[in-house]
Amino acid sequence: MSKVALLQIVHYGKSGHYNAHHDSYEISKTSLPTPCCIDGFRKSCRICRFMTILFYLNEVEEGGGTAFPVANKNTAGDDTKFIVDGGLNLQVNCNKSSLVVEPKQGKVVMWYNHKLDYNTGWVGQLDWKTWHGGCGVKRGEKWIANFWILYSDNKDKHLKH
């Protein structure tokens, strides 16, 4: 069982952006949850990424930051308002984000996509504050690499390997 996803290289030209999203899926609370893809299921599985690591590979002339629109908000209602108000489009709404990490060659940004479940000591619910995306490149181009640390629903099997 691999605990890391393949490295993904992404190129953005002028006006290139990526709308706000989460890098992982919510943990199902049903009696028959959709399993994590890491557990060997390929038909009807969900993406289970515990951690995201983002590498900036070049200097961007202008724009191209990574926005976290609700990073410093205190309630989930801020998340809903952000979506309803069209905040997912970071080409237009980057400046409304509560946190924007400016791209600089060699900079690395890391975040956890889930909270810790203190009852189980394992991966908990999706952290809604990790909405993020790429702001529009105004001048030049942007190169990044993404790397994800994966998790399994089966804590004991995951830790054994």
Side-chain angles (χ1 to χ4, degrees):
M1 171 190 337
S2 175
K3 296 178 186 171
V4 295
L6 294 175
L7 185 71
Q8 178 188 58
I9 306 294
V10 183
H11 174 251
Y12 298 89
K14 186 173 185 224
S15 299
H17 69 284
Y18 203 102
N19 289 338
H21 61 283
H22 285 120
D23 280 350
S24 191
Y25 283 54
E26 186 67 69
I27 295 173
S28 177
K29 296 179 182 177
T30 65
S31 60
L32 294 172
T34 303
C36 291
C37 299
I38 190 176
D39 290 328
F41 299 97
R42 293 293 175 250
K43 188 174 182 180
S44 187
C45 62
R46 72 182 199 285
I47 296 171
C48 301
R49 297 171 174 159
F50 180 64
M51 181 189 300
T52 298
I53 306 168
L54 174 74
F55 304 87
Y56 295 98
L57 303 177
N58 73 311
E59 298 292 337
V60 180
E61 289 180 50
E62 184 180 358
T66 302
F68 293 83
V70 295
N72 298 322
K73 305 295 183 182
N74 292 321
T75 66
D78 292 322
D79 190 20
T80 304
K81 181 174 179 358
F82 160 73
I83 294 168
V84 170
D85 290 347
L88 294 174
N89 183 344
L90 293 177
Q91 177 71 3
V92 176
N93 296 304
C94 184
N95 62 337
K96 296 179 182 174
S97 296
S98 60
L99 173 65
V100 177
V101 178
E102 295 303 327
K104 181 163 179 56
Q105 185 175 6
K107 185 185 285 187
V108 178
V109 181
M110 184 278 300
W111 63 90
Y112 295 99
N113 295 302
H114 289 266
K115 296 179 180 180
L116 179 66
D117 181 331
Y118 290 103
N119 293 321
T120 65
W122 195 234
V123 177
Q125 294 304 308
L126 186 68
D127 185 347
W128 62 270
K129 293 181 180 186
T130 63
W131 275 104
H132 69 283
C135 300
V137 175
K138 296 178 182 176
R139 286 190 313 134
E141 62 182 354
K142 173 181 169 183
W143 287 89
I144 61 168
N146 291 305
F147 190 68
W148 294 283
I149 305 299
L150 308 176
Y151 73 91
S152 168
D153 289 318
N154 186 330
K155 175 184 171 185
D156 294 332
K157 179 180 174 184
H158 188 87
L159 294 176
K160 187 183 345 178
H161 288 84

